[in-house]
Amino acid sequence: MTQVIQSIIDATALGSIVALFALGIALVFGVMRVVNLAHGEIIMAAGYTLVITNDWPWVARIVAAILVGVLVAMALQVAVFRPMKGANAVTIMVGSLAAAALLQNSALLWQGPTPKGVSPLSSLGESTEIAGIHISNVALMSVVVTAVLLLALTALFKRTSLGLRIRAAAEDFEMARLMGIRGNAVGLAAFAIAGVLAAAGGILLVSQTGTVTPMAGLTPMLLGLIGTIVGGMGRLDGAVVGGFVLGAATVLLQVILPLDLRPYRDAILFTGVLLLILVRPEGLLRSAALTERV
Amino acid sequence: MTKGTGFMGKHTEAAMLAARLVGLIALFTGAAVLFGSPSVERTAVFGLIILVAVVGLYVFMGTSGVISFGHVSFMAIGAYATTILTMSPVQKEVQLEGLPTFLQNMEISVVIATLIGGVLAAIFGLILAAPLMRLSGLAAGLATFSVLIIVREVIRNSGEVTRGAQGISGVPTDIINMPGVALLCAAGAIIIASFYQSSSSGLRLRASREDEVASRAIGVRVMRERTIAFVISAFITGIAGGLYAQYLGTFGPDAFYLSLTFLVIAMLVIGGMMSLSGAVLGTLVVTILSEVLRKTEESGISLGGLIDTGALRGLRDIGIAIVTLVILMMRPDGLTNGFEFGSSTFSRLRRKLKRGGEGNEEATPAKTDADEAGTGSQSART
């Protein structure tokens, strides 16, 4: 029984983290209509920031990692996405792929391919006991942090003028600009927020695994992207749902699968994704904004 | 004067384009063999093999406009099939215990094995086409990426048949290392691609690339044309995989995963996704760049003993990434901007050379509206 609860907690924790990544990707997609395949590198950058600041007080480390995440995200917008605005979708995807390769290999060049250890932030490495069950602090924090960030984001979107501008730009970029909204500023803001989300998720993920490699951002980005599509592209709540479902499924599959099928877990997961894309390409929650206009 | 429409059959144009492109790569291959060190020669062979893969990708992605992140899995299939078929039974006993007996005792010539690898990849492509060809845009990219991951995972975990992550070896490597052979394969791929893209099926598919709704309105069966392109593309790419296996000698499933995918896609996009000349040019440019950077990667940069960086791992990929970004920003449609090397390209070049202008073939893929296969009404200025 404790095993079951443990798995549910782990699934919830990973689901929350993936939901953060999915939300970041969906936000950028919503505003700029492009998929940022370099999103994972923001995560990786935040992870390496934690590596370098191993001896700092944990508050400073978190601030540093988030700052780096935001800077990398904004750099991506300015250096890659803004100059390529208007090009066809494939070109932009390949461009973001190139940016990702650039960042990955720069990290490789600088830090080398071996995994670097990250010392835990305050008490994140330990576990608490609630009602007789050991819950790792990271899992707890993942759920809490995600919930807090989601609430904050909702407040941002519904109550502030920046949020209003972002929503307007996401719905119809050209129209928003005609109404006086500065497109570049909004794009930058969207990327910055995505940077915060990616960095937060990255901090949680790295705290869970304990190490960082140059390729560390790839799988999270992939899961986030798939989560966005599974949940319904173009809808922020869809991204959260999709990301959560995907993260949870990853853990649950690991537990449910019989032993000899376990190595195939990823293959099975992606087959599921493939089937979902084929059966329902719009994702679980449909978005009116995304129906293609002829 | 418009050539290419009217009297000359479209297939003559296809043959001439193929001839020009083969001539171009033969020129560079010849230069590499005659003037280069053995490592340069080996790079030339690598470039030619990758060219087959890039041309294979172009046949689908360039003609249909649908992105495919999973083409390298066709290479994986071709590679493993070729290796398993050409390994001697003794080697198979040692490395692969789980093979069915008829495969265990088989040992075929590497040429036939490569072709069989291509056919197997084509069959896999046919199976995939049924569900995948309905998708386009991001969904297609993601679906094909899923295929890449699934294939790699399956290979990695089927150790009894593929030796999994440890890597398989035993494929003969002597034939492919003769630049002439590699050149022949690349030429073959170019010829197939050129004739395909000017065939009626190819033309219809390109129409659907430009405007899917309009092409459907005139009766193009988009799914059918995409499937045809996908299968041909899978065949060519599968053969590229078999060749690559021979080049590597020993390889594992990660040889056909993300960095190869990025390399092939980068080459196609840099050269220009929408023309065969783009595929060839992109491969040429990136191969040369890659060789230059590889030397620097190995020996590092040392300035008179003041700075010595030692080996700089990853420099090559960084360089390619930067070049990709720069080119995509300046010319989002790639170096060739969607145009093919028409005969007017060369007459313009001849005139420029005579006038003492730039003599560099790659820097001026000239475009006029007389170029066959030019897309739409763009006229780019050099």
Side-chain angles (χ1 to χ4, degrees):
Chain A
M1 189 56 191
T2 33
Q3 182 73 313
V4 173
I5 299 189
Q6 192 67 44
S7 308
I8 295 183
I9 294 175
D10 286 337
T12 315
L14 191 60
S16 312
I17 298 180
V18 177
L20 284 178
F21 299 144
L23 191 55
I25 294 182
L27 188 58
V28 166
F29 183 78
V31 175
M32 317 261 330
R33 285 284 180 266
V34 292
V35 180
N36 180 12
L37 291 176
H39 194 83
E41 311 318 316
I42 306 175
I43 301 170
M44 188 254 312
Y48 270 109
T49 313
L50 287 179
V51 168
I52 314 178
T53 61
N54 252 340
D55 312 314
W56 295 12
W58 63 273
V59 178
R61 291 173 80 192
I62 293 183
V63 169
I66 294 189
L67 214 62
V68 166
V70 170
L71 286 173
V72 171
M74 296 207 294
L76 281 173
Q77 205 261 355
V78 169
V80 177
F81 289 94
R82 198 188 290 185
M84 285 209 270
K85 194 155 179 69
N88 86 61
V90 176
T91 306
I92 300 185
M93 273 207 279
V94 176
S96 65
L97 206 63
L102 181 61
L103 289 168
Q104 264 177 29
N105 282 292
S106 305
L108 184 67
L109 196 63
W110 175 42
Q111 287 282 336
T114 46
K116 292 285 162 88
V118 174
S119 52
L121 298 157
S122 89
S123 56
L124 268 183
E126 303 139 32
S127 46
T128 348
E129 193 172 327
I130 298 183
I133 308 170
H134 282 274
I135 309 179
S136 74
N137 284 353
V138 180
L140 265 178
M141 284 311 286
S142 304
V143 180
V144 169
V145 167
T146 306
V148 167
L149 281 174
L150 286 180
L151 284 172
L153 220 59
T154 316
L156 178 78
F157 283 140
K158 295 247 165 83
R159 306 278 176 90
T160 68
S161 88
L162 174 65
L164 191 60
R165 275 180 274 154
I166 293 181
R167 279 158 59 205
E171 191 151 323
D172 191 331
F173 198 77
E174 291 309 321
M175 198 59 187
R177 290 181 67 197
L178 286 173
M179 302 289 257
I181 293 177
R182 312 235 325 266
N184 279 337
V186 166
L188 208 58
F191 263 85
I193 299 177
V196 170
L197 293 170
I203 296 175
L204 290 168
L205 192 66
V206 166
S207 300
Q208 225 183 43
T209 56
T211 58
V212 190
T213 71
M215 309 284 293
L218 184 66
T219 311
M221 187 274 296
L222 208 54
L223 289 177
L225 183 60
I226 297 179
T228 310
I229 296 193
V230 161
M233 208 106 203
R235 286 186 61 154
L236 294 182
D237 48 354
V240 173
V241 168
F244 190 82
V245 166
L246 201 66
T250 314
V251 172
L252 291 176
L253 266 183
Q254 186 73 22
V255 173
I256 296 177
L257 282 178
L259 216 63
D260 39 327
L261 277 184
R262 277 219 197 134
Y264 290 96
R265 181 199 68 173
D266 285 342
I268 296 178
L269 191 65
F270 279 91
T271 312
V273 168
L274 199 58
L275 288 173
L276 186 68
I277 293 182
L278 293 174
V279 164
R280 208 188 152 98
E282 334 76 74
L284 294 169
L285 305 175
R286 245 181 282 220
S287 157
L290 269 187
T291 44
E292 249 187 76
R293 292 181 188 83
V294 168
Chain B
M1 273 310 133
T2 50
K3 275 188 179 176
T5 58
F7 314 129
M8 289 188 122
K10 53 189 177 175
H11 291 297
T12 322
E13 283 299 314
M16 296 206 50
L17 174 66
R20 283 180 215 121
L21 292 174
V22 173
L24 181 64
I25 58 175
L27 199 69
F28 276 85
T29 313
V33 170
L34 289 175
F35 305 124
S37 60
S39 82
V40 169
E41 203 174 297
R42 196 155 153 79
T43 306
V45 168
F46 173 74
L48 289 167
I49 296 177
I50 291 287
L51 180 61
V52 178
V54 175
V55 166
L57 182 62
Y58 164 76
V59 165
F60 176 69
M61 192 164 130
T63 342
S64 70
V66 177
I67 192 165
S68 169
F69 280 129
H71 256 64
V72 165
S73 42
F74 295 136
M75 287 181 78
I77 293 178
Y80 274 92
T82 308
T83 308
I84 293 179
L85 289 172
T86 53
M87 282 165 78
S88 69
V90 176
Q91 285 172 311
K92 280 187 242 204
E93 252 193 74
V94 171
Q95 293 190 44
L96 318 165
E97 299 101 32
L99 278 183
T101 15
F102 78 96
L103 278 179
Q104 183 83 14
N105 301 322
M106 215 186 265
E107 187 181 351
I108 325 181
S109 90
V110 75
V111 172
I112 304 199
T114 311
L115 285 170
I116 296 183
V119 171
L120 286 175
I123 296 178
F124 184 57
L126 189 61
I127 299 175
L128 284 181
L132 289 186
M133 291 304 105
R134 292 181 291 141
L135 305 170
S136 47
L138 187 62
L142 215 64
T144 48
F145 196 85
S146 304
V147 170
L148 182 70
I149 296 187
I150 295 173
V151 168
R152 174 201 176 233
E153 288 294 317
V154 170
I155 292 180
R156 243 165 69 108
N157 292 308
S158 315
E160 331 78 51
V161 181
T162 63
R163 208 148 186 250
Q166 280 182 299
I168 197 174
S169 57
V171 60
T173 57
D174 37 344
I175 302 190
I176 192 65
N177 277 310
M178 301 193 292
V181 173
L183 185 61
L184 209 65
C185 299
I190 292 178
I191 293 174
I192 297 179
S194 185
F195 276 94
Y196 165 70
Q197 75 171 2
S198 57
S199 72
S200 30
S201 171
L203 287 172
R204 287 194 287 263
L205 187 61
R206 283 154 76 191
S208 81
R209 173 185 77 194
E210 297 303 318
D211 191 331
E212 190 176 331
V213 178
S215 66
R216 272 190 219 267
I218 59 169
V220 171
R221 289 167 61 196
V222 176
M223 245 201 92
R224 191 188 91 117
E225 311 300 350
R226 280 184 186 168
T227 307
I228 295 178
F230 200 61
V231 171
I232 298 180
S233 163
F235 175 70
I236 299 178
T237 315
I239 294 204
L243 297 175
Y244 194 45
Q246 297 172 49
Y247 174 82
L248 289 175
T250 309
F251 59 92
D254 280 344
F256 298 99
Y257 198 41
L258 297 169
S259 52
L260 188 60
T261 300
F262 176 61
L263 192 65
V264 172
I265 291 187
M267 286 174 171
L268 182 60
V269 174
I270 287 179
M273 187 174 107
M274 298 206 282
S275 69
L276 183 58
S277 313
V280 174
L281 187 63
T283 312
L284 203 56
V285 166
V286 174
T287 308
I288 295 178
L289 178 70
S290 167
E291 175 68 10
V292 168
L293 287 174
R294 190 181 61 87
K295 291 268 161 63
T296 320
E297 198 177 70
E298 276 170 9
S299 45
I301 308 173
S302 60
L303 298 172
L306 284 174
I307 309 174
D308 192 356
T309 52
L312 296 168
R313 269 198 72 171
L315 186 68
R316 187 194 80 151
D317 289 330
I318 293 182
I320 295 181
I322 294 181
V323 170
T324 311
L325 276 174
V326 168
I327 290 189
L328 284 184
M329 278 192 253
M330 298 196 318
R331 274 161 104 100
D333 282 328
L335 287 172
T336 57
N337 235 347
F339 290 85
E340 300 281 6
F341 292 156
S343 52
S344 40
T345 311
F346 289 101
S347 36
R348 258 234 210 153
L349 280 170
R350 272 202 300 273
R351 270 181 275 135
K352 275 205 171 175
L353 281 171
K354 280 187 194 149
R355 270 185 278 136
E358 310 167 27
N360 193 343
E361 274 190 275
E362 297 160 61
T364 53
K367 306 139 196 77
T368 66
D369 49 41
D371 273 332
E372 43 95 8
T375 53
S377 52
Q378 299 168 339
S379 56
R381 286 151 203 80
T382 310

